[in-house]
């Protein structure tokens, strides 16, 4: 009887050992052909003023805590986007808000109070009225002693129409800042009128509700929200070791916090190859995901990435990061 027990235990041990070997071989990037492409560089809001991200919450006025300016650009403007693409950005991320006359203004904050010389939200104003606003009014690096961009941001808030007309052949990531169903539908209606070639250059992310509404109207559009991230990554964490790719991981976008990335089966190369085959774009962001403003903004930050990393990189300082690759 003891002999049979020993044999059974031996078979279980061998089966368990074989399973471990399979998991290692199936997910180890060391045993895969290395990727040699340059990373995809995503410039967050173009090239803008940066700030300390520690302690930031949704209502933090980041314009009041910028670092001493090193360049003249304000985020989410045509000059800042031009500078980002010229520096070497592959994609530029922009933020959209609906206006009183149902256009889309390019602006980050929930309200206008922090950065501009007016109060309220974009829905309170027409696009023509927003063009008269000074978007550089509230920026200060010394606690309000000086305002280096005050008076320089008048007329610089663009519309989505202007951005798409100015950059018809560039890749853009559109951030829907609200969680409004109708805003998702309106954006889908707007984008669906663009030439297919230009649609293919775009991706949309934001609140679960508007992103789902847009995806329903435009099923081929690459999108991302918290809901789509969970639908892809939770099943992948559970069974990705087998090589299985959940259906929710196809033709989407993933923003992976660097501290989470190391737990993904096959990270980096095997995971990236799997997502490439699924038509999904992977962007790694800084930190643990608590602040998606956190990016890879210095050469020292880049050292935290795996050697020869070739996925997407989220950066607030494309002027510093692009020269490392381009």
């Amino acid at each position: 009887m003891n002999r049979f027990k020993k044999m059974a235990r031996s078979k279980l041990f061998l089966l368990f050992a074989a399973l471990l070997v399979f998991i290692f071989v199936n997910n180890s990037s060391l045993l895969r052909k290395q990727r040699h492409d340059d990373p995809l560089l995503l410039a967050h809001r173009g090239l803008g003023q940066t700030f300390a991200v520690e302690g930031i919450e949704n209502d933090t006025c980041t314009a009041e805590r910028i670092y001493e300016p090193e360049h003249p650009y304000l985020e989410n403007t045509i000059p800042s986007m031009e500078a980002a693409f010229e520096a070497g950005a592959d994609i530029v991320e922009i933020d959209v808000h609906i206006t009183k006359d149902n256009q889309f203004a390019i602006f980050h904050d929930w309200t206008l109070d922090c950065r501009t010389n007016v109060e309220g939200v974009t829905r309170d104003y027409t696009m023509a009225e927003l063009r008269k606003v000074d978007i550089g009014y509230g920026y200060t690096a010394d606690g309000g002693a000086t305002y280096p961009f005050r008076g320089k941001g008048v007329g610089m808030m663009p519309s989505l129409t202007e951005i798409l007309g100015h950059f018809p052949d560039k890749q853009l990531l559109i951030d829907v800042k609200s969680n409004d169903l109708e805003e998702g539908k309106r954006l889908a209606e707007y984008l669906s009128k663009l030439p297919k070639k230009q649609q293919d250059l775009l991706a949309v992310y934001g609140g679960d509700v508007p992103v789902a509404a847009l995806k329903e109207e435009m099923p081929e559009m690459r999108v991302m929200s918290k809901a789509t991230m969970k639908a892809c990554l939770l099943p992948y964490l559970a069974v990705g070791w087998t090589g299985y790719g959940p259906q929710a991981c196809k033709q989407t976008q993933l923003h992976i916090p660097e501290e989470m990335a190391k737990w993904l089966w096959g990270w980096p190369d095997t995971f990236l190859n799997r997502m490439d085959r699924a038509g999904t774009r992977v962007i790694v962001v800084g930190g643990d995901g608590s602040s998606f403003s956190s990016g890879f903004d210095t050469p020292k930050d880049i050292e935290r990435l795996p050697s020869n990393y070739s996925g997407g990189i989220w950066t607030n300082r494309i002027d510093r990061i692009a020269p490392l690759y381009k």
Side-chain angles (χ1 to χ4, degrees), residues 116-182:
T116 80
N117 58 330
V118 299
E119 298 180 348
V121 296
T122 60
R123 292 171 184 255
D124 298 331
Y125 300 86
T126 66
M127 194 64 233
E129 291 170 333
L130 289 170
R131 287 194 182 93
K132 299 176 183 178
V133 168
D134 181 4
I135 64 169
Y137 188 84
Y139 286 82
T140 179
D142 50 19
T146 60
Y147 290 87
F149 298 103
R150 185 166 288 186
K152 299 178 181 179
V154 178
M156 293 192 68
M157 187 188 301
S159 67
L160 182 58
T161 299
E162 290 175 278
I163 294 295
L164 293 174
H166 196 86
F167 302 101
D169 58 349
K170 298 294 187 182
Q171 294 190 77
L172 301 173
L173 173 60
I174 300 171
D175 183 4
V176 182
K177 300 300 293 185
S178 78
N179 200 33
D180 184 347
L181 175 69
E182 290 303 315

Side-chain angles (χ1 to χ4, degrees), residues 45-109:
R45 308 180 202 166
L47 179 57
Q49 303 304 313
T50 54
F51 46 84
V53 299
E54 292 78 13
I56 283 184
E57 298 180 0
N58 284 336
D59 59 353
T60 300
C61 180
T62 57
E64 293 178 347
R65 55 190 293 169
I66 63 169
Y67 297 123
E68 191 66 30
E70 298 178 28
H71 58 72
Y73 301 108
L74 296 174
E75 63 180 44
N76 277 319
T77 63
I78 287 178
S80 78
M81 295 176 68
E82 287 177 336
F85 282 124
E86 288 173 5
D90 298 295
I91 311 170
V92 167
E93 186 261 11
I94 57 175
D95 306 295
V96 299
H97 286 279
I98 201 76
T99 66
K100 188 176 181 178
D101 54 344
N102 290 325
Q103 295 191 54
F104 286 98
I106 308 301
F107 189 73
H108 175 265
D109 295 356

